[in-house]
Amino acid sequence: VRTGRVKHAGKFICGELGKHGFRVREGWKGALPARVKAGIQSDLIHLYGVPENQIGIAPGADDKSRVAGLARYGDDKSGRAPVMNDRIMIRSQPGRGLQIGGAQIHMPDGAIMSIDTTTAGLHEVKGVILVENETVFYRFERLNFPVPACWRDYTVVFRGKAHVARQDTCEAWLRDLDVPVIAFPDFDPAGLVFAAAVPHVSGLLWPGAQRLDEILNSAGRKDLYEKQSAYVNKLSKLTGPCHEAAQIVVKAGRGINQEAFLNLTGRVA
């Protein structure tokens, strides 16, 4: 209604236009007749409660949120941005606490905390273990190999799910936090290449060379490796914390997901 033009008429738009005597096929684009535009505008105001003074105003920068959508258009669903876009998902390791704003917070095993970026800025932490798999994040206490003692107080952080833990939001926070980051990725070409590019990455959480070699050769997936062939060249040239694991993956020609390092029937002491 604001522009008077339709870019692509889907089923819903076709139905609404038809109610006003202007029938078009799905996929139609073009300018609305003045009478149709006026009729739809009247519906928005009188049937759906959209404030008349908002009809002709272009969308604002914050209109993607559901709160802004409700305030402006009378419909929270008009704001389609995920409500957790600007949040960080963290958890402590078993028996450890989280230090936030001077307070020590202890949580049950398996419990996670979702905090906004403002609160995340108050988090006092020695380092971060960055987990790329949601299942492993929730069940971190069930790892089937021990976390090195020097990393036991590090906060576990999840990165990677677009509607819960956006990669860009998480990485911006890690840059500002400026503490050592220990990557715990999928052990396949893409997983290790992405892990090597994490801000402040200084270590790799893994069961060691011998164990990784064994599990790749017994349960590793050739198809996973082959599907990520575009990353193999970068993988073979990795340096730093991911170098040794990368060489083992290349030699095996297989990949393995993080879930392979979970013991679902018990936990590591």
Side-chain angles (χ1 to χ4, degrees):
V1 170
R2 180 175 62 84
T3 65
R5 298 191 63 83
V6 174
K7 293 181 179 180
H8 179 88
K11 184 177 181 179
F12 175 78
I13 294 295
C14 288
E16 291 299 305
L17 295 179
K19 291 178 184 178
H20 291 274
F22 187 65
R23 300 188 181 281
V24 298
R25 292 182 177 181
E26 289 188 38
W28 176 83
K29 63 179 180 179
L32 293 175
R35 63 176 178 80
V36 176
K37 177 180 174 180
I40 295 177
Q41 177 174 311
S42 178
D43 285 354
L44 289 173
I45 295 169
H46 298 107
L47 298 181
Y48 298 104
V50 176
E52 186 172 0
N53 62 359
Q54 297 291 327
I55 292 287
I57 300 176
D62 67 341
D63 277 3
K64 291 182 179 180
S65 76
R66 293 180 67 162
V67 173
L70 178 62
R72 179 166 175 181
Y73 305 112
D75 177 15
D76 65 319
K77 298 300 192 297
S78 67
R80 297 181 182 272
V83 296
M84 296 181 72
N85 259 3
D86 298 318
R87 302 186 71 83
I88 306 295
M89 287 178 66
I90 64 176
R91 58 164 295 177
S92 60
Q93 294 189 56
R96 263 59 176 184
L98 297 172
Q99 190 78 20
I100 300 178
Q104 185 79 7
I105 302 172
H106 288 275
M107 303 166 64
D109 284 354
I112 64 101
M113 181 180 290
S114 172
I115 55 179
D116 63 27
T117 51
T118 300
T119 304
L122 303 175
H123 187 32
E124 303 159 35
V125 59
K126 295 179 181 178
V128 162
I129 294 178
L130 187 65
V131 177
E132 306 280 353
N133 180 290
E134 193 172 11
T135 299
V136 174
F137 175 72
Y138 281 108
R139 299 181 176 182
F140 192 80
E141 68 277 3
R142 294 185 179 273
L143 285 183
N144 60 21
F145 66 92
V147 175
C150 58
W151 297 340
R152 290 279 178 87
D153 289 322
Y154 283 19
T155 295
V156 183
V157 178
F158 174 59
R159 176 192 77 159
K161 194 171 183 180
H163 301 316
V164 175
R166 285 175 59 98
Q167 180 173 325
D168 55 352
T169 301
C170 182
E171 290 189 355
W173 176 63
L174 291 176
R175 290 189 188 94
D176 292 339
L177 194 60
D178 195 17
V179 297
V181 175
I182 309 305
F184 186 28
D186 290 327
F187 288 82
D188 53 35
L192 286 166
V193 168
F194 292 153
V198 168
H200 305 303
V201 64
S202 63
L204 180 70
L205 183 62
W206 65 319
Q210 181 177 344
R211 176 81 181 281
L212 179 61
D213 185 60
E214 290 172 354
I215 197 168
L216 282 171
N217 284 291
S218 64
R221 292 170 47 191
K222 287 185 176 181
D223 65 311
L224 188 60
Y225 185 90
E226 291 167 356
K227 286 178 182 178
Q228 299 177 6
S229 59
Y231 295 96
V232 171
N233 187 47
K234 289 183 178 180
L235 181 69
S236 63
K237 297 178 181 178
L238 285 185
T239 59
C242 298
H243 168 75
E244 189 174 3
Q247 296 304 307
I248 294 170
V249 170
V250 169
K251 180 181 177 182
R254 298 168 182 259
I256 196 78
N257 292 327
Q258 284 180 3
E259 292 97 328
F261 302 107
L262 287 180
N263 178 7
L264 299 182
T265 60
R267 56 177 287 183
V268 175

